[in-house]
Amino acid sequence: MPEKSQPPLRGGRARQADVARIAGVSQTTVSLVLGGNRQGVVIQEATQARVREAAKALGYVPDPAARRLATSQNNLLGVFSFTATFPTAMEHSYYPFLVGIEQEAAEQGYDLVLFTGSSAGGAGARRQALDRVRLADGCLILGRHLPATQLHQLIEDGFPVVHIGRSAEPDVPWVGADYVAATAEVVRHLAELGHRTILLVREDDEALPSSDRELGFRTGLAAAGLRRQPKAVFRTATPESDITADWVRAKIASGITAIVAEETDSGAVWRALVKALDEAGLRAPHDVSIALLGSPPADLAGDRIPTGFDIPRADLGAAAVRMLAAQLSGIDRPQPLVHCEFRLGMTTGVPAKADNTPAH
Amino acid sequence: MPEKSQPPLRGGRARQADVARIAGVSQTTVSLVLGGNRQGVVIQEATQARVREAAKALGYVPDPAARRLATSQNNLLGVFSFTATFPTAMEHSYYPFLVGIEQEAAEQGYDLVLFTGSSAGGAGARRQALDRVRLADGCLILGRHLPATQLHQLIEDGFPVVHIGRSAEPDVPWVGADYVAATAEVVRHLAELGHRTILLVREDDEALPSSDRELGFRTGLAAAGLRRQPKAVFRTATPESDITADWVRAKIASGITAIVAEETDSGAVWRALVKALDEAGLRAPHDVSIALLGSPPADLAGDRIPTGFDIPRADLGAAAVRMLAAQLSGIDRPQPLVHCEFRLGMTTGVPAKADNTPAH
DNA sequence: TTGTAGGCGTTATCAA
DNA sequence: TTGATAACGCCTACAA
């Protein structure tokens, strides 16, 4: 047997070279036949058959690592978050985003690399480094607090990155929910019901989600032709103590017929509002209309559905993947804003009494 | 500038060669300094510092594919599931497993690769292929229906794999919940309360989770010194129609004082049992004790907590990672069985009336 | 202490 | 139509 001295299999795996030897052709031919043959090279049917047969006999399977090395395409999308991606407390997890991310990634032919221990530290401090993400073709970033320096280094190097959630950092590509339009729509809804004096309750910080809602609020008021009201926005850092039964009564007495509350991470504002109404013996929408600029916290899910809007987290994840894929293939970036679905709940209705604005 | 003509960065990613050029050393030295240097080669501190600095400046990260091709190690653990890992219906998801997987992977210094599109298909049928997991150092497999052929191919080739959930396939390493011991413990609990005639309700198939529970049931009976009862196990394929108010009444009349129900994917058995009791106007544990061999379905969570046991899914995920890590480092496999926590609920108590077994 | 050279399995470019 | 041959990025004897 004057065959080459190589053993037929090495480490239990057949290589293209093995197939080639069995089929009596060159390794290149095997690659051509078995790989896509994108070069459009013409190969005899008989040869192809021989190659295929040999491959099958040997149980040949291409080595993805080698393939990826040769094509310099990992088909890997990174997912990086600074907090644990799957915390024990499920409500705070990125699960809803991942639903969309996974679907769209599959659609586009990418696998996902989940970088672990971003918060915990795990095995050594160096794992903290954002640099690890470079092993993927591009990376999605979840969460608010990013190390701006590292991130910009990444971006400067031309590494494709998309932040989920509108980013305040310049030059960081992002996808985000369109809070402005969604909030404006809620205001419009209230205005159409006849409300003329509407109050926005928001947290007392400068986060984008908050200021976007305020912008949408003002936009909505203007679009509805409502005149600028001096104290249309109420800021609170401590909802529990600020938003009381007395507070609500006073607001209603002052002519306010509708209150829209920001959705916060903890849901504290909305929770406090609901509680305050309850303690005041008031009911929505009978005594006052209330709306929530976001989704209700899980533990209040059983309550009456609040009017407001839903943040399409899965859509956001999918949009982020699309944006990243676009960067990777050099296509123009798609729309970064994702539409929020208006939610007609049971907490808004016509104003309790004729509004007290001057007749026009 | 008599530097080599290569651009400092290619395609946005730095290679060892780039680092070497910047640091003014050879590529080997870079590999030595940055890689573990398992060869024990001694390198000047100053040189090492230069290399590290250059690497940092360039944001160098080793290419996983290349690394794997050369060594078969890249600190990546694969997660493969036959259904989508993040389905829209969160209740049926692998979330609880992922909590443990992520934590333990971080602990052990691994990142995770989530192989997507296993079910959806996505970009072509080949994505279906389990072979992609070879990019990682090893792989966790979730879900029941495995492509046995591909899986065994993988295992034969020495690729480390761990199935989450006890596997019926031979030679497939797995971690699983110890249903046998847990079920036996529930039976013991009932026996200690004084129950002598206990009924097991299970689904009518031959799945391991079911048969393990039955085995534990019989073990528990034997350990409690209860004599073998002819019709101690009731099988049903259609719980809704089989488990009715009349059925329950008949069982109680026949002397049964306790019923243990298998946890099924849909929770159908338990649901039917609870409903039947309700319709019969019976209450647990007053009229009959009932126990659930697993966790209650989410929509019944508000009900009275059933006695039974909890499946430690996060622990399972962590155990799977440990087992995989053990395989990777050549250590002996750790215990594959994870203990289920006994859950003392409100549905079991002393038998309704003096039991009717003959005096001993 | 550092560098040279060869190989891992695939793809891609040329010649033949 | 096929077959050498050179990357791809990294690791590791072995040589200097």
Side-chain angles (χ1 to χ4, degrees), chain B residues 67-358:
Chain B
R67 179 177 229 144
R68 172 140 187 84
L69 187 56
T71 62
S72 325
Q73 276 272 344
N74 55 17
N75 283 327
L76 249 33
L77 255 35
V79 177
F80 188 93
S81 66
F82 216 70
T83 56
T85 308
F86 306 107
T88 325
M90 198 149 155
E91 312 84 58
H92 300 134
S93 81
Y94 297 118
Y95 184 92
F97 294 113
L98 286 169
V99 172
I101 292 174
E102 188 199 19
Q103 262 180 18
E104 188 63 26
E107 203 71 33
Q108 308 251 352
Y110 289 100
D111 288 318
L112 297 172
V113 184
L114 304 179
F115 294 98
T116 63
S118 316
S119 58
R126 55 177 323 187
R127 293 187 56 66
Q128 176 85 313
L130 187 52
D131 293 312
R132 279 183 299 150
V133 304
R134 300 185 116 107
L135 178 72
D137 292 345
C139 190
L140 303 176
I141 314 240
L142 291 157
R144 302 199 167 199
H145 308 293
L146 317 175
T149 324
Q150 290 185 60
L151 190 53
H152 278 108
Q153 174 74 269
L154 228 47
I155 292 172
E156 259 176 42
D157 293 348
F159 185 84
V161 159
V162 170
H163 183 246
I164 297 190
R166 209 177 124 186
S167 171
E169 292 289 331
D171 301 326
V172 177
W174 52 270
V175 294
D178 192 351
Y179 294 138
V180 179
T183 302
E185 191 170 0
V186 169
V187 171
R188 183 170 64 101
H189 162 74
L190 289 169
E192 284 175 359
L193 285 174
H195 294 272
R196 291 290 169 267
T197 316
I198 306 172
L199 177 70
L200 167 69
V201 183
R202 62 168 282 191
E203 280 202 336
D204 192 22
D205 65 15
E206 295 308 321
L208 268 178
S210 294
S211 52
D212 273 2
R213 284 176 171 93
E214 178 163 342
L215 176 58
F217 178 69
R218 298 194 185 279
T219 308
L221 288 183
L226 300 183
R227 71 154 196 279
R228 288 205 60 193
Q229 294 152 14
K231 297 170 96 174
V233 176
F234 179 79
R235 283 173 176 249
T236 170
T238 53
E240 299 79 8
S241 52
D242 287 349
I243 303 179
T244 61
D246 284 344
W247 179 89
V248 172
R249 284 200 206 91
K251 288 303 176 188
I252 293 179
S254 79
I256 282 169
T257 60
I259 302 176
V260 296
E262 185 189 1
E263 180 199 15
T264 58
D265 284 349
S266 56
V269 171
W270 181 252
R271 210 184 303 273
L273 181 59
V274 168
K275 185 162 165 238
L277 275 186
D278 200 42
E279 289 176 358
L282 301 172
R283 285 191 328 199
H286 183 73
D287 303 301
V288 60
S289 286
I290 58 176
L292 173 60
L293 303 176
S295 306
D299 57 324
L300 291 185
D303 281 27
R304 311 178 67 208
I305 298 170
T307 292
F309 56 79
D310 290 309
I311 299 165
R313 295 182 213 272
D315 290 352
L316 266 176
V321 171
R322 279 194 298 273
M323 168 121 2
L324 198 51
Q327 282 192 55
L328 288 172
S329 54
I331 299 173
D332 280 347
R333 286 182 195 162
Q335 235 300 329
L337 281 179
V338 174
H339 178 251
C340 296
E341 195 71 25
F342 177 73
R343 178 187 60 233
L344 178 57
M346 301 177 292
T347 59
T348 49
V350 294
K353 47 189 170 186
D355 78 62
N356 51 5
T357 53

Side-chain angles (χ1 to χ4, degrees), chain A residues 24 48 71 73 152 237 256 265 288 307 318 344 346 354:
Chain A
Q48 296 204 25
T71 56
Q73 269 264 354
H152 278 108
I256 282 168
D265 284 347
V288 61
T307 293
L344 179 55
M346 302 177 292

Side-chain angles (χ1 to χ4, degrees), chain A residues 91-154:
Chain A
E91 312 83 61
H92 304 131
S93 83
Y94 295 117
Y95 188 95
F97 294 112
L98 285 168
V99 173
I101 292 174
E102 185 195 23
Q103 260 180 21
E104 188 64 25
E107 203 72 34
Q108 309 249 353
Y110 289 100
D111 289 319
L112 299 173
V113 185
L114 192 59
F115 295 98
T116 63
S118 315
S119 56
R126 57 176 316 193
R127 296 185 53 66
Q128 173 83 311
L130 185 54
D131 273 337
R132 278 185 298 154
V133 304
R134 291 185 195 250
L135 114 194
D137 293 337
C139 190
L140 304 175
I141 311 234
L142 291 157
R144 300 198 169 198
H145 309 292
L146 315 175
T149 326
Q150 287 186 65
L151 191 53
H152 278 108
Q153 171 75 273
L154 229 46

Side-chain angles (χ1 to χ4, degrees), chain A residues 120-204:
Chain A
R126 57 176 316 193
R127 296 185 53 66
Q128 173 83 311
L130 185 54
D131 273 337
R132 278 185 298 154
V133 304
R134 291 185 195 250
L135 114 194
D137 293 337
C139 190
L140 304 175
I141 311 234
L142 291 157
R144 300 198 169 198
H145 309 292
L146 315 175
T149 326
Q150 287 186 65
L151 191 53
H152 278 108
Q153 171 75 273
L154 229 46
I155 293 170
E156 260 175 40
D157 291 349
F159 184 85
V161 159
V162 171
H163 183 247
I164 297 190
R166 211 177 122 186
S167 170
E169 292 290 328
D171 301 326
V172 177
W174 53 269
V175 295
D178 192 351
Y179 295 137
V180 180
T183 302
E185 192 170 358
V186 169
V187 171
R188 183 170 62 103
H189 161 75
L190 289 168
E192 283 175 0
L193 284 173
H195 294 272
R196 290 292 168 269
T197 317
I198 306 173
L199 176 70
L200 167 69
V201 183
R202 63 168 281 190
E203 279 201 337
D204 191 22

Side-chain angles (χ1 to χ4, degrees), chain A residues 242-268:
Chain A
D242 287 350
I243 303 180
T244 61
D246 284 344
W247 179 89
V248 173
R249 284 199 205 92
K251 288 303 173 186
I252 293 179
S254 79
I256 282 168
T257 60
I259 301 176
V260 295
E262 185 189 0
E263 179 199 17
T264 58
D265 284 347
S266 57

